[in-house]
Amino acid sequence: MSDVHEGGCLCGAVRYRVNGNPLRSHACHCTFCQRRTGSTNALVAVFSGENVEITGGPLSIYEHRSDESGRWLRLEFCPRCGTNVTFTFERVPSARSISAGTFDDPNWFKLERHIWTRSALHCMSIAPGVEKFETHFTP
């Protein structure tokens, strides 16, 4: 299997390439991720920032302050179609999170855990054997 994986936004204006496996991956069920995705949760693959290359763009940025921690989250999205492609957190600014659904093949990595399950929608079920945390996972 190749160590390089590519993806991009809905309209194709923003493209990216990642090298290597994610540092971690998770499904986040916090209310912020529910709103930013318009869905039940966000699937996220986290990489060292140096392993992510934006090959199209530019990206627009929206900065949000967490109600829970007070720290910032920087969302980077396509200014044309609005797809949320990548984001960074104040807590770990050297890491870059990729919205898993934007990969050309989103099935290439394994989902490790579910976080913020205390706000998971009632219709969600979590597979047995996958780690789950009521709030954030801290490695």
Side-chain angles (χ1 to χ4, degrees):
M1 178 182 284
S2 172
D3 280 348
V4 176
H5 299 276
E6 297 185 16
C9 68
L10 182 63
C11 73
V14 173
R15 296 289 299 164
Y16 64 83
R17 180 179 299 120
V18 298
N19 188 21
N21 289 317
L23 300 171
R24 61 190 168 281
S25 60
H26 59 264
C28 182
H29 299 271
C30 76
T31 55
F32 174 73
C33 281
Q34 289 171 8
R35 285 199 182 257
R36 78 176 178 83
T37 64
S39 189
T40 58
N41 63 308
L43 295 177
V44 177
V46 182
F47 295 86
S48 174
E50 63 197 23
N51 291 335
V52 177
E53 177 188 4
I54 304 299
T55 58
L59 291 162
S60 290
I61 296 172
Y62 171 73
E63 189 170 292
H64 172 79
R65 260 215 201 256
S66 168
D67 296 337
E68 186 83 18
S69 70
R71 295 181 176 148
W72 57 257
L73 301 93
R74 272 194 201 114
L75 305 178
E76 295 179 300
F77 57 95
C78 175
R80 184 171 163 203
C81 68
T83 301
N84 180 237
V85 178
T86 180
F87 52 97
T88 55
F89 295 93
E90 180 177 6
R91 195 183 81 191
V92 189
S94 62
R96 197 160 194 180
S97 300
I98 301 289
S99 297
T102 65
F103 281 107
D104 293 342
D105 174 9
N107 289 307
W108 71 271
F109 66 91
K110 181 182 176 193
L111 180 66
E112 297 172 321
R113 65 189 54 89
H114 289 257
I115 62 173
W116 292 100
T117 58
R118 74 177 186 196
S119 48
L121 299 184
H122 298 289
C123 64
M124 293 302 301
S125 61
I126 297 173
V130 177
E131 286 185 308
K132 59 184 176 180
F133 299 86
E134 283 195 11
T135 59
H136 201 284
F137 166 78
T138 304

